[in-house]
């Protein structure tokens, strides 16, 4: 079998990453990749267990001559976010990821790369299959459905584990050691659909917001990129003529800043020119606001066949537009203790219709439980104002910083020795599984998170730096040797 990464080092890491890239593994579709890793570990003669959520635990005895020494957990998640360019038809449940090498960049052809968290998975597999790496007793934990609310780790049984230290491999900056992360919660505001007969004499106008960068709703939220759902709300609210609304959808996943949103409105033919002008004026204002950070925003308008039987009632339409404009989005507060760090944010991620309702889905993150709860209260109030229901899900706690962590001290010392510089110690504004793992272990443990440089995760422009993958592999080996 030919490997596009053949010749890259560390060879075992790149080979394993390319192998899992050939297996579709978006969240909820991890059975095949979980089985692949299970068979891989069992063929090595290692103790392996797999649960009904497709989580895996693989244990490997110490190779450092200290079988009675400490146990260390390596952890990464096996699922990935599937995003493609607007022009590519890619079935993430069937099609493999096509890898591309561009200089020092490892990327995918018009899709997410899956380096988040596939590189971490590949690191673990390479350690498991090695016969020449010095390491303590290892418990390698491969989790499923992390990207949709840390579902796998939340449902894992960790009672058989003895790890004192947890090394999470889901970080994306080589010069940074993560020592904490925000907690998060999903919220879904559901508005009941109400209809009225359509005016058969009206014309229909399709409105499409596209071309935005999108990105990871935790890592990229501080970049203040455009949100397609929010922009659509502004466009609809800017229309000064009477119109009906009969279709709206935007965004794809809770943890992705939405790049696209579409709506269809029904208007009188004689009002079409005025409506187009209203939309174009607001589009110009929005483009000016975000041009420096998100320059490719496009607003496409196209006349199409009108609704033939029903449209949303006037009251329902007003509620939709007001929710689009009022729902919390973006940076809500900055940290008062960590300079230039986001403390609380909310990503207005998805608008979608079902047969009976319209769902407005958001992901709120905060390093403080009280602030997260405050945003949840706002969401509940908003739903109440518009006679909508609200459901909260996938609520998980923050991983709080431990200023006395011995693992952090060792990790810093090894980093300084390896790279001759100090790493940045940081608390991440997105979900990592360390907090849940530490809470679920029956004994006290400590954690750090490390990883290579990965950029534009959760977007079709995602890429990883090849030399950074090698750098952090060598660092991981030195850290394991020291532990």
């Amino acid at each position: 079998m030919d490997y596009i990464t053949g010749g890259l080092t560390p060879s075992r890491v790149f080979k394993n990453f390319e192998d899992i890239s050939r297996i579709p593994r978006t969240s909820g579709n991890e059975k095949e990749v979980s089985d692949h890793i299970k068979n891989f570990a069992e063929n090595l003669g290692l103790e392996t267990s797999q649960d009904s959520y497709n989580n895996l635990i693989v244990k490997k005895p110490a190779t450092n001559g200290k079988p009675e020494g400490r146990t260390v957990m390596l952890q990464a998640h096996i699922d990935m976010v599937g995003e493609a360019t607007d022009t590519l038809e890619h079935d993430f449940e069937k099609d493999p990821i096509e890898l591309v090498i561009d200089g020092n960049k490892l990327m995918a052809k018009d899709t997410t790369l899956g380096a988040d968290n596939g590189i971490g998975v590949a690191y673990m597999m390479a350690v498991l299959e090695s016969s020449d790496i010095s390491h303590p007793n290892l418990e390698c934990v491969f989790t499923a459905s992390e990207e949709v609310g840390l579902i796998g780790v939340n449902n894992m049984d960790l009672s058989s584990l003895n790890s004192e230290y947890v090394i999470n491999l889901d970080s994306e900056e080589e010069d940074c050691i993560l020592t904490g992360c925000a907690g998060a919660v999903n919220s879904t505001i559901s508005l009941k659909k109400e209809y009225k007969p359509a005016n058969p004499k009206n014309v229909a106008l399709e409105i499409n917001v596209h071309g935005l960068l999108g990105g990871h709703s935790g890592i990229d939220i501080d970049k203040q990129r455009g949100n397609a759902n929010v922009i659509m709300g502004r466009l609809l609210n800017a229309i000064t003529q009477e119109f009906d609304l009969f279709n709206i959808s935007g965004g794809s996943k809770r943890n992705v800043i939405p790049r696209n949103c579409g709506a269809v409105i029904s208007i009188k033919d004689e009002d079409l020119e005025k409506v187009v002008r209203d939309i174009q004026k607001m589009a110009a204002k929005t483009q000016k606001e975000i041009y420096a950070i998100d320059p490719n925003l496009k607003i496409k308008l196209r006349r199409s066949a009108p609704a033939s039987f029903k449209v949303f009632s006037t009251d329902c339409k007003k509620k939709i537009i007001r929710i689009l404009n009022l729902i919390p989005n973006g940076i809500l507060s900055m940290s008062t203790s960590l300079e230039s760090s986001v403390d609380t944010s909310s990503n207005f991620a998805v608008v979608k219709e079902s047969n009976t309702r319209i769902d407005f889905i958001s992901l709120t993150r905060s390093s403080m439980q009280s602030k997260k709860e405050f945003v949840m209260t706002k969401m509940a109030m908003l739903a109440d104002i518009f006679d909508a229901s609200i459901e909260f899900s996938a609520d998980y706690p923050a991983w709080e910083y431990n200023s006395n962590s011995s693992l952090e001290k060792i990790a810093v010392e090894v980093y300084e020795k390896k790279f001759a510089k100090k790493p940045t110690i940081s608390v991440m504004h997105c979900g990592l599984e360390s907090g849940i793992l530490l809470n679920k272990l029956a004994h006290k443990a400590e954690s750090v998170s490390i990883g290579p440089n990965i950029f534009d995760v959760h977007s079709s422009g995602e890429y990883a730096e090849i030399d950074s993958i090698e750098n952090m592999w060598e660092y991981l080996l030195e850290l394991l040797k020291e532990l």
Side-chain angles (χ1 to χ4, degrees):
M1 184 182 294
D2 293 331
Y3 286 83
I4 192 171
T5 58
L8 298 180
T9 56
S11 58
R12 285 194 298 251
V13 172
F14 283 105
K15 178 183 180 298
N16 287 322
F17 179 71
E18 190 159 353
D19 283 340
I20 65 172
S21 296
R22 290 171 172 154
I23 304 171
R25 54 187 177 90
T26 48
S27 306
N29 188 41
E30 302 106 325
K31 174 63 174 170
E32 186 177 355
V33 73
S34 180
D35 288 345
H36 169 79
I37 298 169
K38 178 176 180 289
N39 293 334
F40 170 90
E42 289 177 341
N43 288 336
L44 294 169
L46 301 175
E47 180 184 343
T48 306
S49 61
Q50 181 186 52
D51 65 20
S52 61
Y53 289 88
N54 295 311
N55 299 304
L56 291 166
I57 297 173
V58 182
K59 298 182 180 182
K60 184 181 181 184
T63 60
N64 59 3
K66 301 176 182 179
E68 304 303 321
R70 69 163 54 96
T71 300
V72 174
M73 180 192 300
L74 298 180
Q75 188 269 321
H77 63 84
I78 60 176
D79 62 317
M80 64 173 283
V81 169
E83 285 283 298
T85 59
D86 296 340
T87 57
L88 180 69
E89 292 185 8
H90 187 95
D91 188 340
F92 283 98
E93 293 190 1
K94 297 179 181 178
D95 300 335
I97 300 299
E98 185 176 345
L99 301 185
V100 176
I101 296 175
D102 181 8
N104 190 39
K105 294 180 181 180
L106 177 63
M107 52 204 307
K109 185 177 180 181
D110 296 328
T111 69
T112 37
L113 172 63
D116 173 18
N117 191 209
I119 296 297
V121 172
Y123 280 160
M124 290 164 63
M125 294 174 71
V127 171
L128 289 173
E129 68 178 329
S130 70
S131 58
D132 57 352
I133 293 174
S134 177
H135 60 72
N137 295 307
L138 293 179
E139 294 172 334
C140 291
V141 176
F142 301 85
T143 55
S145 298
E146 186 269 355
E147 299 287 8
V148 289
L150 291 80
I151 293 172
V153 69
N154 265 312
N155 289 280
M156 281 194 82
D157 179 3
L158 304 183
S159 60
S160 68
L161 302 188
N162 300 301
S163 295
E164 300 172 43
Y165 291 155
V166 175
I167 302 176
N168 171 278
L169 297 170
D170 196 13
S171 180
E172 289 148 7
E173 294 181 68
E174 148 181 328
D175 62 354
C176 181
I177 296 175
L178 295 176
T179 54
C181 74
V185 64
N186 296 335
S187 62
T188 302
I189 295 175
S190 296
L191 180 67
K192 184 179 179 181
K193 286 182 173 179
E194 296 176 352
Y195 293 104
K196 68 177 184 180
N199 185 339
K201 296 181 180 180
N202 279 5
V203 298
L205 182 68
E206 295 180 11
I207 308 169
N208 284 290
V209 178
H210 63 102
L212 295 167
L213 289 171
H216 190 294
S217 67
I219 295 171
D220 297 319
I221 201 74
D222 63 333
K223 298 176 177 63
Q224 302 189 64
R225 294 173 176 172
N227 181 305
N229 297 332
V230 173
I231 292 170
M232 180 61 76
R234 295 180 68 179
L235 297 178
L236 294 175
N237 192 57
I239 298 173
T240 57
Q241 308 300 311
E242 287 296 321
F243 71 94
D244 292 322
L245 176 67
F246 60 95
N247 178 266
I248 185 165
S249 65
S252 59
K253 298 173 182 67
R254 51 182 279 285
N255 54 0
V256 177
I257 301 170
R259 299 183 298 119
N260 306 301
C261 187
V264 185
I265 64 173
S266 172
I267 50 179
K268 294 178 181 179
D269 190 32
E270 60 265 30
D271 290 338
L272 178 60
E273 184 177 343
K274 295 178 181 177
V275 169
V276 169
R277 189 162 56 245
D278 287 340
I279 294 172
Q280 289 175 336
K281 285 181 179 178
M282 180 53 68
K285 292 178 183 178
T286 306
Q287 287 171 321
K288 183 178 180 180
E289 290 170 3
I290 67 172
Y291 181 80
I293 50 178
D294 215 339
N296 297 316
L297 168 64
K298 300 289 187 298
I299 311 295
K300 181 179 179 181
L301 304 178
R302 187 175 76 91
R303 182 170 173 168
S304 63
S308 59
F309 57 100
K310 60 183 179 180
V311 296
F312 295 129
S313 70
T314 301
D315 185 57
C316 184
K317 178 195 72 174
K318 287 181 179 179
K319 289 178 179 179
I320 292 168
I321 295 172
R322 288 171 180 174
I323 291 173
L324 291 172
N325 280 275
L326 292 175
I327 201 163
N329 181 71
I331 298 171
L332 303 182
S333 67
M334 299 295 291
S335 173
T336 57
S337 56
L338 294 171
E339 186 177 355
S340 302
S341 294
V342 179
D343 177 79
T344 306
S345 73
S346 198
N347 178 45
F348 178 17
V350 178
V351 181
K352 67 176 183 179
E353 294 187 42
S354 66
N355 289 335
T356 60
R357 67 179 190 271
I358 303 168
D359 290 336
F360 305 84
I361 302 171
S362 297
L363 173 58
T364 298
R365 306 178 189 268
S366 182
S367 58
M368 296 185 69
Q369 179 67 17
S370 60
K371 288 190 174 182
K372 184 175 71 174
E373 291 172 351
F374 182 40
V375 180
M376 293 169 70
T377 299
K378 288 185 175 183
M379 294 284 191
M381 287 180 173
L382 185 65
D384 183 63
I385 288 170
F386 296 111
D387 297 320
S389 63
I390 188 164
E391 179 182 358
F392 297 107
S393 62
D395 191 349
Y396 61 86
W399 165 25
E400 296 185 2
Y401 176 65
N402 176 7
S403 60
N404 298 311
S405 170
S406 58
L407 177 57
E408 177 191 326
K409 181 180 178 182
I410 296 169
V412 169
E413 289 174 350
V414 174
Y415 189 97
E416 290 178 346
K417 184 178 179 181
K418 168 68 179 172
F419 298 108
K421 64 179 181 179
K422 291 183 179 292
T424 300
I425 303 300
S426 182
V427 174
M428 193 179 196
H429 188 67
C430 64
L432 291 173
E433 291 156 297
S434 292
I436 297 173
L437 290 166
L438 296 179
N439 285 335
K440 290 174 76 76
L441 288 170
H443 53 275
K444 186 175 181 180
E446 300 174 3
S447 182
V448 296
S449 179
I450 60 174
N453 292 332
I454 307 173
F455 299 91
D456 295 329
V457 295
H458 295 188
S459 80
S460 57
E462 179 187 356
Y463 70 92
E465 291 183 346
I466 293 170
D467 59 4
S468 182
I469 293 172
E470 182 175 9
N471 289 343
M472 294 310 287
W473 167 249
E474 294 175 352
Y475 171 62
L476 174 62
L477 299 191
E478 291 297 321
L479 183 56
L480 288 174
K481 185 177 180 181
E482 187 66 26
L483 296 175

